[in-house]
Amino acid sequence: MRIDYHDLSEMDFERIVVAICAEILGSGVVPFCSGPDGSRDARFEGTAADLPHSVDPYRGKFIAQAKHSENPVAKYSDTDFSGRAQSSVLTKEIPGIKRLVVIGELDYYLLFSNRRMSGVAEGPIRLRITAETGAKSWSCSELSGWIFFLRSIPKLLRRLDS
C-alpha cells in the first residue's frame, strides 16, 4: 500500500495520526474535531502501550498534533515550519503547548507531520519545544518511518481503509 501523504486532506491525515496514536498509546486516545484545536488533535492520559517501547513505556498526559503539508518535499527544517519568525508553524504552536503544560494538561507533546526530518534538524526542534514549553517531546516524522510503521501493523491499515 502506497500512501501519498501530501495528497491527503488534513482530516484524513489527522485520522492516520489518531490511528497511530491508538496503536502506540492505547485505545483511550481521544481525537478532537476539526477547527481551532488549541495545539492538539488528540489526547491520551495514562501509560503508553508502546512508547517509546512496551518494556518501559512513558506515563503521563500526551497531546498529539498533526501538521500536514501538501508539499511532497517539505522538511521540518524549512523556515516556514521551524524557523524563529512569528509566522512559522512551530512559533505559532509554542504558546498553546506551553499553556497546556502550565495548566497541567500535557507532559508529552507528539508532533506528527508528513515532512521529512533530517538527523541534524531533529535535535534543535525537539530541544526548542522542550526549552520553550517545558514539555517532553517526541516526534514521528521521517516519511520512510511512516511507511515502515504502517506496513508493520496490518490492523492499522485495515482501520484506515474503513
Side-chain angles (χ1 to χ4, degrees):
M1 175 181 193
R2 178 177 162 79
I3 299 174
D4 291 324
Y5 299 100
H6 61 280
D7 287 337
L8 295 172
S9 70
E10 284 191 34
M11 183 180 289
D12 286 341
F13 185 74
E14 287 176 13
R15 281 184 58 223
I16 291 174
V17 168
V18 169
I20 290 172
C21 285
E23 287 296 322
I24 63 175
L25 297 174
S27 61
V29 170
V30 178
F32 297 111
C33 65
S34 297
D37 58 24
S39 298
R40 56 193 169 178
D41 291 311
R43 182 181 192 282
F44 175 83
E45 184 172 350
T47 302
D50 199 13
L51 181 68
H53 47 75
S54 60
V55 175
D56 187 21
Y58 292 152
R59 294 163 184 80
K61 296 176 182 176
F62 300 79
I63 296 294
Q65 180 85 52
K67 291 296 177 189
H68 178 259
S69 174
E70 293 177 353
N71 180 351
V73 295
K75 297 178 183 171
Y76 267 77
S77 60
D78 293 342
T79 56
D80 68 324
F81 186 81
S82 63
R84 296 281 179 174
Q86 292 299 312
S87 60
S88 83
V89 171
L90 196 54
T91 298
K92 289 179 186 178
E93 290 297 330
I94 283 180
I97 301 165
K98 186 174 184 175
R99 183 184 63 77
L100 292 169
V101 170
V102 168
I103 65 172
E105 288 295 313
L106 187 153
D107 297 312
Y108 294 94
Y109 179 70
L110 285 64
L111 178 60
F112 291 85
S113 182
N114 58 317
R115 291 172 175 269
R116 298 177 189 272
M117 175 76 85
S118 71
V120 173
E122 186 272 339
I125 291 170
R126 182 177 35 80
L127 293 173
R128 179 178 177 196
I129 292 169
T130 301
E132 294 185 28
T133 69
K136 299 166 190 155
S137 70
W138 176 85
S139 66
C140 176
S141 58
E142 179 58 44
L143 195 56
S144 63
W146 278 83
I147 293 165
F148 173 78
F149 186 79
L150 291 170
R151 286 184 181 154
S152 70
I153 305 174
K155 67 182 177 180
L156 182 58
L157 289 174
R158 285 192 300 275
R159 186 181 304 156
L160 293 174
D161 282 339
S162 61

